[in-house]
Amino acid sequence: QKEVEQNSGPLSVPEGAIASLNCTYSDRGSQSFFWYRQYSGKSPELIMSIYSNGDKEDGRFTAQLNKASQYVSLLIRDSQPSDSATYLCAVKVLAGYSTLTFGKGTMLLVSP
Amino acid sequence: DAGVIQSPRHEVTEMGQEVTLRCKPISGHNSLFWYRQTMMRGLELLIYFNNNVPIDDSGMPEDRFSAKMPNASFSTLKIQPSEPRDSAVYFCASSLGGRQNTEAFFGQGTRLTVV
């Protein structure tokens, strides 16, 4: 059974700090990894995707993937109060028809 | 494109009543997903369609739940009869490609309350 684990938080960081969000997954066949942000009462929105080991940067966001350790993380630099949300990690196995398996999310709180 | 469109946004119904949730995927997307989100269980996949065909319905909790996709631009999720434990936010999502490495885009969700 595919499992995606995240610390539920909340993770509290001061404005301007680096927020580090972590995710582990159980299925070694997982090939695609996504980070979604979900504001309270809203739908999940994609912010990052990563498919190969290493780092991928997009603005203030950096996704890191280590397939050997089955670990994916999201770093948010210069955190802003507007980054306060729940961050969902999702993984996908590229075998036949595959779907996204989501973690339960980590709540991030950025204080001014 | 307007994105994935779901209706209604909110639904309050009495236990035992039939509930129908509707979804219009992004034009050109051939994969459609129904998810349910609760605090306890997070975001759970209920059913997945590819080219209007149900591919994986293993997440459908029981026979009270059914889903259809009569054409590429419309899908429904029906609960009959509804129960209080069905109260949740139901999301529809769509993506381009069943086997490809593509992201899913979510609708705004339907908040269902069964009393």
Side-chain angles (χ1 to χ4, degrees):
Chain A
Q1 181 176 353
K2 305 173 192 175
E3 291 185 354
V4 179
E5 300 290 338
Q6 295 182 257
N7 188 318
S8 62
L11 172 65
S12 295
V13 300
E15 183 175 357
I18 296 175
S20 178
L21 304 162
N22 305 315
C23 171
T24 59
Y25 58 94
S26 63
D27 191 334
R28 286 195 172 274
S30 300
Q31 295 291 325
S32 305
F33 307 86
F34 305 89
W35 284 99
Y36 283 78
R37 178 177 62 200
Q38 186 175 25
Y39 291 113
S40 179
K42 303 295 185 181
S43 59
E45 57 177 329
L46 180 72
I47 54 173
M48 287 286 287
S49 59
I50 186 167
Y51 310 120
S52 55
N53 280 328
D55 295 358
K56 178 182 178 182
E57 186 175 319
D58 184 0
R60 295 186 297 112
F61 299 97
T62 299
Q64 299 175 318
L65 174 61
N66 184 326
K67 290 184 180 179
S69 300
Q70 295 176 243
Y71 176 92
V72 58
S73 65
L74 179 70
L75 301 178
I76 306 175
R77 291 181 300 280
D78 189 22
S79 296
Q80 301 296 309
S82 59
D83 295 325
S84 298
T86 295
Y87 290 80
L88 301 167
C89 173
V91 304
K92 186 174 183 181
V93 175
L94 286 182
Y97 294 103
S98 60
T99 59
L100 287 173
T101 300
F102 283 85
K104 291 184 178 180
T106 298
M107 180 182 292
L108 173 66
L109 298 176
V110 181
S111 55
Chain B
D1 197 307
V4 177
I5 300 173
Q6 291 186 246
S7 64
R9 291 292 306 278
H10 303 274
E11 177 79 31
V12 180
T13 190
E14 292 184 346
M15 182 174 63
Q17 295 299 306
E18 177 180 298
V19 176
T20 299
L21 311 181
R22 297 172 175 79
C23 175
K24 175 180 169 55
I26 293 172
S27 177
H29 282 190
N30 61 352
S31 293
L32 183 139
F33 312 87
W34 281 100
Y35 285 91
R36 176 173 67 177
Q37 188 174 41
T38 61
M39 288 293 292
M40 289 296 296
R41 301 176 68 90
L43 203 57
E44 303 173 279
L45 177 68
L46 300 178
I47 188 168
Y48 160 44
F49 291 89
N50 184 255
N51 291 327
N52 312 337
V53 176
I55 301 298
D56 182 358
D57 65 355
S58 60
M60 296 287 263
E62 48 198 276
D63 291 345
R64 297 185 297 107
F65 286 69
S66 63
K68 294 182 179 180
M69 192 165 186
N71 56 62
S73 59
F74 184 66
S75 176
T76 60
L77 177 68
K78 184 178 293 186
I79 308 172
Q80 166 64 20
S82 57
E83 297 182 2
R85 60 193 169 116
D86 301 330
S87 297
V89 180
Y90 291 80
F91 287 105
C92 176
S94 70
S95 70
L96 178 62
R99 297 175 185 263
Q100 295 176 15
N101 203 18
T102 54
E103 303 88 351
F105 296 87
F106 284 77
Q108 292 303 303
T110 295
R111 182 174 295 277
L112 173 65
T113 303
V114 182
V115 297

